[in-house]
Structures are given as C-alpha cells and as structure tokens.
Amino acid sequence: MTLTAEAPQRTGSDFAQLSRRITAAGLMRRRPAYYVIRFALTGAVFIGGWVAFAMIGNTWWQLLTAVFLAIVSAQVAFLGHDLAHRQVVRSRAASQKIGWFTGNLANGMGYGWWNDKHNRHHANPNHEELDPDVAPGLFVWSKRQAGIAQGIATWFGKYQAQLFFPVLTLEGLNLNWSGIKSVLKPGLKNRGMEALFLALHWAAYLSLVFMFLSPGKAVVFILVHKAAWGVYMGSVFAPNHKGMPTFVGETELDFLRKQVLTSRNVKGGWFTDFALGGLNYQIEHHLFPAMPSVHLKYAQPIVEEFCIEKGIPYHATGLIQSWKEALGELHAHGEPLRNPKPQPIKAAL
C-alpha cells in the first residue's frame, strides 16, 4: 500500500512526550558490561566454530558446520548493527573501527557501505524514492513500482512472492559483492582500511576452506555457508518493513508516525529476541535507534501504550505470520504484471 497522509495538528510534540517517558524509564542508558559479555561470547563461538571446522577435516559433515557458522555470522552482523547505531560506544570513530572487525573482517561485508545504506533507510523507511531497501530493482515493492517495472523485473515481479526465499540464498553473496564494489570505486570514507580488512577476510576465509577441504567440498561449503547466511539475514530483516505501507513524494507525517506506520514488530519470547537480534522490536528500534537492543523489550509496552493513547496503529504479530504478510503483499504488488491492462488501440491517421 502506498500512502499519503496528513500531518497531526501538533507535529513533533507527540514524540517528545514519548521520549520523555522512555528517558525517565532509564532505557537510553548505556550497557557496557552487557556488550562486553555479548562480544566475548559471540567472538568465542565464532572462533570456536572455525577451530571445529579445522578439526573435523575433509568430510561432507562440514556442510552442517557451514550452517552453524552462517548462524554465528548473523549474530556477529547483529553486533555490527548495534555498533552502527552507537548503542555499544558513543564515539562514531570507535564504533567504525570495531565495525571493521565485525563487518569487513569477520563477514566480508563492507561496514562503511552498509552503514550509509542503513542510515538512509532509517531516515526515510519505506519511502520508494529515498529508502534504498525499497528502491525498484528485481522486486517491486508496490503496485506503483510494478507499473513502471522494466527488464527482468517485469517477469520476476509476477512470481516474486514464490521466489523471495529462494532469492535470499543469494543475499549473502550479494552483501559480500556490494562491500567489494564499495572499495573499488572512489568516494567511500576510509576506503583503504575498508579494503584492507576485506582483503584479510577473503585471504583467511578462502585459505582455511581450501586448506582443509578438497576443492569440490570447499566450493559446496562456501555456497551452503553463504546461502544459509543470506536466508537467515533476509528472514530477520524482511518482516520488519516488507508488506507495510510505502510512501512517495513529500509526506507531512511527523517522525513518530513515519516510523511506527512503516514498521512491524515480531512477537515472541527470549528465543525470538535472540534469533532476531532484538530487531523484532522494530518499531521501538526505529524510534530510538541509539537504545541498546537489550532495552527494546522494556520499551515495547511503553511505546505501544502511547500509540494507543494517540490513536496510532501499532502492528505486532508472530514470526510466521509476519512472513505470510510480507509474502502476501509481494504477491499483491505483482498483480499488475501478472494481469496487465490492455493498451487502447490508437486509430490510424
């Protein structure tokens, strides 16, 4: 659904009220001890996974290791996400330097490229002209985009709901390639350091894989590892905004409504919080991106209650239902491509 909406009468004041409640609850305070423990545990499991890989040796059982390492890689990426929002440390420079380790070195994903893209998404979520996550491409994110689709998108968009998860198997490689492209052209800040850490990643990654596995097993291991990582990352990020309203042109919505109306929360217990890295509280995260992710679950009832008070739709659902909603909207957006309207016949002059 593509929205145009009128501004509330007191633009900006509602978010100020909510912000005061959140601050009074102490939810914006830093959690250094929490992040020290989380980084240490995640780092230990990451290193331990690769040690186990070396010990297991040249066997097809390594495909299970590939899936395990993909899960750990996603957890490392979640830490990079928290760093980008300066939830871990206040300093932008320090966050960036640590981000080179969680992004470029550990996962081969360009931290600087991703951070820039993600900041533009946060500034204008689901805006078809400003949010890179819903820019026209292989997928069409609205019927409007379907109407102007060109090239392969005119075919792909017809079946995009069915193809969504299969395409996610390529998302890991896409993230890696995007990082490489970002350092091959001028303009990226700290381009040299970004390139250095990416080079170290690929040198270490490929050396380890081909050192302990035969060439055939090594190639399959890499494909499984990257496919599993891509599916995991896509399955976490897609429920956040896909299938929620999109915008075009200028919108007079205030910050609070712009963030809440375009975001979807995923309900669940501690396992959901862990598996989705806290991003299941997407509404709260978009309203307060600098809030440590461990606090988001405490902010959730405060935000929901406030939205009810103000009459702002607040959407939360289970994980499976969130995927159904996202896929259902993708299928609906492809309708103009599956059943195009016949063009009127022009009379000959």
Side-chain angles (χ1 to χ4, degrees), residues 26 28-36 87-88 292 294-295 298:
M28 296 304 297
R29 72 183 189 277
R30 302 291 168 171
R31 292 291 299 273
Y34 162 78
Y35 276 112
V36 167
Q87 298 173 17
V88 183
V294 70
H295 286 168
Y298 304 112

Side-chain angles (χ1 to χ4, degrees), residues 62-289:
Q62 290 282 27
L63 298 186
L64 295 178
T65 311
V67 174
F68 173 77
L69 286 170
I71 295 171
V72 179
S73 293
Q75 291 295 324
V76 173
F78 295 155
L79 288 174
H81 173 270
D82 289 6
L83 281 164
H85 287 294
R86 287 188 278 177
Q87 298 173 17
V88 183
V89 292
R90 293 183 184 276
S91 168
R92 183 186 300 272
S95 297
Q96 183 180 60
K97 289 180 174 65
I98 304 171
W100 293 336
F101 285 89
T102 60
N104 301 50
L105 185 61
N107 283 331
M109 185 175 75
Y111 176 82
W113 159 79
W114 179 85
N115 191 24
D116 174 71
K117 172 177 173 290
H118 193 62
N119 285 340
R120 286 186 283 132
H121 157 71
H122 264 265
N124 293 282
N126 274 19
H127 193 293
E128 295 181 23
E129 299 160 331
L130 300 174
D131 181 357
D133 289 352
V134 292
L138 196 59
F139 291 94
V140 293
W141 305 109
S142 68
K143 289 185 177 180
R144 170 187 166 275
Q145 288 187 355
I148 59 176
Q150 296 179 345
I152 190 174
T154 60
W155 175 85
F156 189 90
K158 299 177 184 180
Y159 314 105
Q160 59 183 9
Q162 296 90 335
L163 294 172
F164 182 74
F165 279 105
V167 168
L168 285 184
T169 61
L170 302 175
E171 179 60 15
L173 292 172
N174 177 56
L175 291 171
N176 291 146
W177 177 234
S178 296
I180 293 172
K181 286 193 298 183
S182 72
V183 300
L184 292 178
K185 58 184 180 180
L188 180 68
K189 188 178 180 180
N190 298 302
R191 181 185 175 198
M193 294 302 296
E194 294 263 357
L196 173 62
F197 278 92
L198 282 177
L200 289 173
H201 165 82
W202 287 110
Y205 181 75
L206 295 176
S207 295
L208 274 172
V209 172
F210 282 94
M211 182 184 301
F212 290 97
L213 297 179
S214 64
K217 290 188 181 71
V219 171
V220 176
F221 175 91
I222 293 171
L223 293 176
V224 171
H225 178 221
K226 296 302 182 181
W229 183 45
V231 170
Y232 187 2
M233 294 286 283
S235 298
V236 169
F237 282 90
N240 299 339
H241 302 280
K242 300 302 181 270
M244 297 301 289
T246 61
F247 299 92
V248 293
E250 294 186 9
T251 173
E252 295 182 345
L253 286 176
D254 66 346
F255 175 79
L256 174 66
R257 287 160 178 81
K258 180 168 66 173
Q259 302 297 339
V260 174
L261 293 175
T262 59
S263 303
R264 177 195 292 109
N265 272 19
V266 177
K267 297 186 291 186
W270 68 267
F271 182 77
T272 302
D273 293 355
F274 169 77
L276 275 63
L279 295 175
N280 46 313
Y281 302 104
Q282 190 67 192
I283 295 173
E284 289 70 33
H285 169 60
H286 260 255
L287 290 172
F288 303 97

